[in-house]
Amino acid sequence: WHGRSVEKSSFDDFYIAFTPQMATQHFARQPANRAGEPSSVLAAAAKWAATLRQCIFDSTKLRCSAGIARTKMLSMLATKKNKPNGQYSVEPHDEATFLDAAKVDALRGAGLVGLRPEVRDTVMGKLGFGATVSQLRSLDSQLTTLLGSAKADAVGALLATCDDGSCVSTFCLPRSLSVEINVRPTEFEPCTSLDDIKRGYNQLASMLLSRGREDESTFGTRQIAGLVAKWKLFPGAREVRQKQAPWP
């Protein structure tokens, strides 16, 4: 795993740099061009992503979406296209059209450079909260006046290349394990009983031990430092409470 371009940018978001070498390795029968690269790395990546999503579902029964594109930013936007259980590929000739349809406020996220907050705020102040990248592009000569030359140049480069300069970082071991459970009696009723919460934590304990064994089988034995439990109680379920303790 070490050294591979696999980035966990948030709890449930991952970026993978799918290289021509990976395409050749996983799909050896795919036609190659004169440079020895698969005729469509994007197509190979899409097929690989579909296989990966099926493996995740078979192993966990969890559904997920995927976005496949030339740049990290476009792949992030693409993964939102067919949520919660699909995928979308941005073909090179459709990149500008695809980007233009996105909301200015969507050009951000964990692991991305995107548009800086002050740039987004200024543009949406000018064009409205629902402004699209197409509308941003139409500002053109006004960008320097609005943002200053340095920021205007950065926005111009993003629009011209459909790339915010974000790169997929190399893999590092996850530093935490997380499990979650709903202890409400029904979908529409809040949990108001401490007994229900205790039963929930008993279930969580076995789930967490299972995750620990899974982590160990994948990454080897690692020292676990502590345990953090978080919960919400009604009334006032928006307040998250937590308690931390050493690993038992």
Side-chain angles (χ1 to χ4, degrees), residues 36-59:
E37 296 180 358
S39 56
S40 174
V41 175
L42 196 73
K47 185 176 180 181
W48 184 83
T51 302
L52 177 63
R53 289 175 47 247
Q54 185 62 51
C55 288
I56 292 172
F57 180 77
D58 291 343
S59 299

Side-chain angles (χ1 to χ4, degrees), residues 101-177:
K103 297 290 182 63
V104 169
D105 194 47
L107 302 186
R108 58 173 172 164
L112 293 178
V113 175
L115 289 179
R116 299 296 185 188
E118 62 273 16
V119 172
R120 292 197 311 271
D121 290 345
T122 300
V123 170
M124 290 189 292
K126 172 75 172 177
L127 298 173
F129 181 76
T132 64
V133 174
S134 178
Q135 291 174 287
L136 168 61
R137 198 185 294 274
S138 70
L139 290 176
D140 196 17
S141 59
Q142 300 178 51
L143 284 177
T144 300
T145 303
L146 281 173
L147 304 173
S149 59
K151 292 176 182 175
D153 288 346
V155 172
L158 183 152
L159 296 177
T161 62
C162 299
D163 189 355
D164 67 343
S166 300
C167 297
V168 179
S169 62
T170 54
F171 177 81
C172 61
L173 292 174
R175 300 185 64 183
S176 64
L177 301 176

Side-chain angles (χ1 to χ4, degrees), residues 49-129:
T51 302
L52 177 63
R53 289 175 47 247
Q54 185 62 51
C55 288
I56 292 172
F57 180 77
D58 291 343
S59 299
T60 66
K61 303 307 177 189
L62 295 176
R63 306 182 192 279
C64 62
S65 59
I68 303 97
R70 178 181 60 85
T71 70
K72 190 177 179 182
M73 181 183 68
L74 288 177
S75 71
M76 179 277 294
L77 295 172
T79 196
K80 300 177 184 297
K81 191 78 172 174
N82 285 326
K83 279 184 175 290
N85 185 36
Q87 62 186 61
Y88 187 84
S89 298
V90 183
E91 298 291 340
H93 60 273
D94 286 332
E95 288 180 354
T97 302
F98 178 78
L99 180 60
D100 280 358
K103 297 290 182 63
V104 169
D105 194 47
L107 302 186
R108 58 173 172 164
L112 293 178
V113 175
L115 289 179
R116 299 296 185 188
E118 62 273 16
V119 172
R120 292 197 311 271
D121 290 345
T122 300
V123 170
M124 290 189 292
K126 172 75 172 177
L127 298 173
F129 181 76

Side-chain angles (χ1 to χ4, degrees), residues 215-227:
D215 181 85
E216 184 174 330
S217 68
T218 304
F219 303 117
T221 303
R222 298 194 287 156
Q223 182 64 43
I224 301 177
L227 177 68

